[in-house]
Amino acid sequence: MTTETLTRPPVAPDTGGRPRPSKWIWTWLYAGAFAVAALLLVVVGYLGAGIAGGHVDWMELLTESAWSPTNSVFGGLAMIYGTAVVCALALVIAVPVSWGAAVALSEYLPPRLARPLRMCVELLAAVPSIVYGLIGIMVLRPVISKIADVPGGDSLAAAGIVLAVMITPTIVAVSVDALTAVPDRVREAAYSLGLTRREVVRSAVLPPARSGMRAAVLLGLARALGEAIAVFLVVGRADGRLPTSFGEFLDSLSHPGQTLTTKLAGPEPVLAGTSGPYFAAICGLGLVLLALVAAATVWGTRGRDRGAASERPLKFRGTARLRQQRDRLVMTLRLGALLLPSLLLVGMLALLVTRGSSAFDPSFWFTSATGAAGGGVRDQIVGTVLLIATTGILALPLGFGAGILIGIHASERTARVLQTVTVILGGAPTILLGLAGFVILSTTMGWGRSWLAGAIVLVPVVVPVIALTTSARVRSIPAELTESAMSLGLTRAQYVRSVVVPYTWPATITGLLLGLARAAGETAPLLFTATVFFGAPMVPSGIVESPVQALPTHIFTLSQDSGDPQAVTQAWGSAMVLVLITAVLLSAAVALRNRFEGERWTT
């Protein structure tokens, strides 16, 4: 009897489940990072080319207050003064309220209450800047006119108050993140010593969080420096006003002024042409503004963790009764500071609902505009959606690639440089983007007013938001997940495609929606490149000389005719439609954030 040895036939290895080589990954990632740097270089290059095309007397530009193109006098000191005054006034109002609200959200309220209140503060960020300007025209200017007894109410004070409201959500959000990053063991150690809540916050929580809270202020300052349209509508735009005494300084607050952004947002950049000393002086103002934004951004993002190592000794001051009274007083003030943004949001929504009631009429959404201020906003809605959708398609791959490269592949020093460049691009004044798009796309390339040109100039608004949210998500990938992927023999490219991209995708979509919510309300870039007030078809048929109508520029044009009741009604209705669109985008972003990021983002 013979026996056979059973042998198993060789089986080819199953490669169906193994990720395929993904060499294209690095091309995509580096293209995204290159695009971020290139977009910033385009703005700087545009300003540099304009300066090189004419002569700029920098001493005159920085020290002379008079601005008279007909006499070839280009002094920007009064505009620099106006920028400094409105930004300082905005910080004086916004910082105490924002810091108090952030501490209340982080240290005083349970998550079930902090979550909706933080949502209210974040919804303020969804209100487009043109809507803030409209509210400033219709509500704030009459109040200042009555209090200061000046006609009109256009003033530096009005601009400062509008900016204070606009930067409050930024300061609150970044400050809350800095406070919640403090470990709970620090609080527990302080409470174990018998300190009151005020003393715990002051002595144990604020020292390590102080660097991040200062960063919040400086990032808010960068936003204030770059805002154009809201300030343009309420500041009055008076050249050459520079006080020489403290009394004149106080008086100047209630009178019209001029800032760097309002000068750039006015008609002069178009009237100055594309070369010569006039245009060079305009570009010089833009370079000064960009330098101020870059300085504020770099100072705001550097050294956030340095404060974590500094600790103050925990101190008891006063009797137990006096300490408890102080604790209750401070708690009341901080909770009151938190209620202010919430009440402000409720008031703004009530104002929009009452004055923009036409937005609740379906015919307002589905009929086209007629005449100067009649009909609906169908064409404007279609144009806005077209611009947002095209911007999203262009910005998503670039921001996603840059964010992954910053978070996973670049060295620490390179990642820091890329992140700083990304933040500076995000803080760059959109009016500069519009001017660069006007010269490069509309004039040099011959596109004229084009919807595609408008979408392209909005890409730098969205890309930084996507890149920063993606890089933050990448850095939160658990170490064990990375180790498991590498132990399976995956290459770095395969690891990025199979692990990093699926893990970061929800945060990327959140960043995309947040960026599009901001882009939906941008007005300054579109005024120069893409939109007209009337006469454009609902859907463009080409690219060259194919403008569209859009809600932000529609509101901007109507709001300047505040003496016409029909125009005012149309502006409020259009503002309500725009707020609803941006609120839907932001609500979707918050829902995704809460779904995929967990309690860390909401407490």
Side-chain angles (χ1 to χ4, degrees):
M1 184 176 184
T2 60
T3 59
E4 292 184 9
T5 302
L6 298 177
T7 59
R8 190 174 188 178
V11 179
D14 182 13
T15 59
R18 182 181 178 85
R20 297 184 301 275
S22 304
K23 296 181 180 180
W24 56 270
I25 285 288
W26 300 126
T27 303
W28 167 44
L29 300 188
Y30 282 112
F34 174 78
V36 171
L39 289 172
L40 183 60
L41 288 176
V42 165
V43 178
V44 176
Y46 155 73
L47 296 175
I51 293 172
H55 174 69
V56 177
D57 187 343
W58 289 101
M59 184 62 66
E60 179 185 68
L61 189 69
L62 298 176
T63 60
E64 175 64 41
S65 61
W67 179 274
S68 177
T70 56
N71 298 320
S72 297
V73 177
F74 304 104
L77 183 60
M79 302 166 210
I80 297 174
Y81 162 77
T83 301
V85 168
V86 297
C87 289
L89 183 60
L91 292 178
V92 167
I93 297 173
V95 170
V97 174
S98 301
W99 278 358
V103 172
L105 282 171
S106 174
E107 307 299 324
Y108 286 87
L109 296 179
R112 66 180 182 276
L113 293 179
R115 204 174 288 125
L117 287 176
R118 185 177 179 183
M119 177 67 177
C120 290
V121 176
E122 289 174 333
L123 280 175
L124 286 174
V127 180
S129 58
I130 183 63
V131 177
Y132 281 112
L134 179 63
I135 294 175
I137 288 177
M138 304 302 176
V139 179
L140 189 57
R141 287 198 317 180
V143 173
I144 292 180
S145 176
K146 184 176 181 180
I147 294 177
D149 194 21
V150 292
D154 289 319
S155 60
L156 295 173
I161 294 172
V162 169
L163 282 181
V165 178
M166 294 182 66
I167 67 176
T168 293
T170 299
I171 300 177
V172 171
V174 179
S175 297
V176 168
D177 288 339
L179 290 166
T180 53
V182 178
D184 288 337
R185 63 178 181 273
V186 176
R187 299 174 177 85
E188 294 167 358
Y191 280 120
S192 67
L193 296 177
L195 271 66
T196 64
R197 181 171 297 183
R198 179 188 69 87
E199 292 166 340
V200 169
V201 171
R202 178 180 177 274
S203 301
V205 178
L206 289 182
R210 186 173 289 115
S211 178
M213 296 176 72
R214 288 172 181 165
V217 174
L218 291 174
L219 291 175
L221 175 60
R223 169 76 191 277
L225 286 169
E227 179 54 42
I229 295 301
V231 177
F232 184 91
L233 292 174
V234 298
V235 78
R237 307 183 302 282
D239 284 327
R241 295 198 173 184
L242 196 65
T244 57
S245 64
F246 183 72
E248 291 184 2
F249 164 73
L250 295 179
D251 185 63
S252 69
L253 296 179
S254 59
H255 287 80
Q258 187 80 277
T259 68
L260 292 169
T261 54
T262 57
K263 174 61 70 175
L264 294 172
E268 291 191 49
V270 178
L271 298 176
T274 57
S275 62
Y278 190 5
F279 183 69
I282 292 290
C283 291
L285 293 178
L287 194 61
V288 171
L289 179 60
L290 187 61
L292 292 175
V293 173
T297 303
V298 171
W299 288 341
T301 55
R302 71 183 179 93
R304 291 191 181 188
D305 298 328
R306 295 177 183 175
S310 62
E311 296 183 1
R312 292 184 178 182
L314 306 180
K315 299 179 180 180
F316 298 88
R317 293 185 179 180
T319 63
R321 181 178 179 181
L322 182 59
R323 290 166 56 209
Q324 292 175 357
Q325 291 175 347
R326 290 174 179 172
D327 187 67
R328 286 193 291 267
L329 176 61
V330 171
M331 180 180 68
T332 303
L333 292 176
R334 286 170 175 165
L335 292 176
L338 176 59
L339 288 177
L340 283 177
S342 303
L343 293 176
L344 181 62
L345 176 64
V346 172
M348 292 177 64
L349 291 178
L351 186 64
L352 287 170
V353 169
T354 54
R355 298 201 177 187
S357 57
S358 57
F360 300 102
D361 183 0
S363 62
F364 188 73
W365 291 68
F366 299 108
T367 58
S368 59
T370 57
V377 290
R378 181 196 62 188
D379 296 349
Q380 287 78 7
I381 294 174
V382 173
T384 302
V385 172
L386 175 63
L387 290 170
I388 293 175
T390 307
T391 301
I393 293 171
L394 296 175
L396 179 58
L398 300 178
F400 198 16
I404 293 178
L405 185 68
I406 293 172
I408 198 66
H409 184 64
S411 64
E412 183 178 353
R413 177 175 296 181
T414 305
R416 189 181 302 115
V417 172
L418 286 175
Q419 186 169 6
T420 302
V421 171
T422 303
V423 175
I424 293 175
L425 177 63
T430 55
I431 183 62
L432 296 182
L433 303 176
L435 292 174
F438 172 74
V439 172
I440 297 173
L441 300 174
S442 301
T443 303
T444 304
M445 296 180 62
W447 285 10
R449 296 292 177 95
S450 169
W451 61 273
L452 184 58
I456 291 174
V457 298
L458 289 179
V459 167
V461 177
V462 182
V463 166
V465 183
I466 300 175
L468 293 174
T469 53
T470 301
S471 63
R473 178 72 171 177
V474 171
R475 286 191 292 267
S476 69
I477 295 178
E480 57 270 19
L481 184 60
T482 301
E483 294 169 359
S484 299
M486 293 305 178
S487 67
L488 296 176
L490 270 66
T491 64
R492 295 285 290 178
Q494 292 169 337
Y495 165 68
V496 169
R497 185 172 71 87
S498 302
V499 178
V500 176
V501 170
Y503 189 87
T504 58
W505 183 247
T508 302
I509 295 299
T510 301
L512 174 65
L513 293 176
L514 288 172
L516 292 179
R518 180 187 172 190
E522 288 295 339
T523 306
L526 302 180
L527 285 172
F528 293 97
T529 58
T531 60
V532 292
F533 180 63
F534 61 88
M538 182 175 65
V539 178
S541 58
I543 295 177
V544 177
E545 294 295 345
S546 296
V548 293
Q549 302 176 65
L551 286 169
T553 53
H554 188 67
I555 299 169
F556 176 76
T557 305
L558 291 172
S559 62
Q560 297 189 74
D561 191 13
S562 56
D564 183 1
Q566 188 176 4
V568 171
T569 301
Q570 187 83 348
W572 281 111
S574 303
M576 188 65 197
V577 171
L578 184 57
V579 168
L580 289 175
I581 293 174
T582 53
V584 168
L585 291 174
L586 185 64
S587 298
V590 171
L592 284 174
R593 182 192 67 188
N594 293 343
R595 170 65 178 83
F596 293 105
E597 296 291 342
E599 294 296 320
R600 179 172 63 89
W601 291 93
T602 54
T603 60

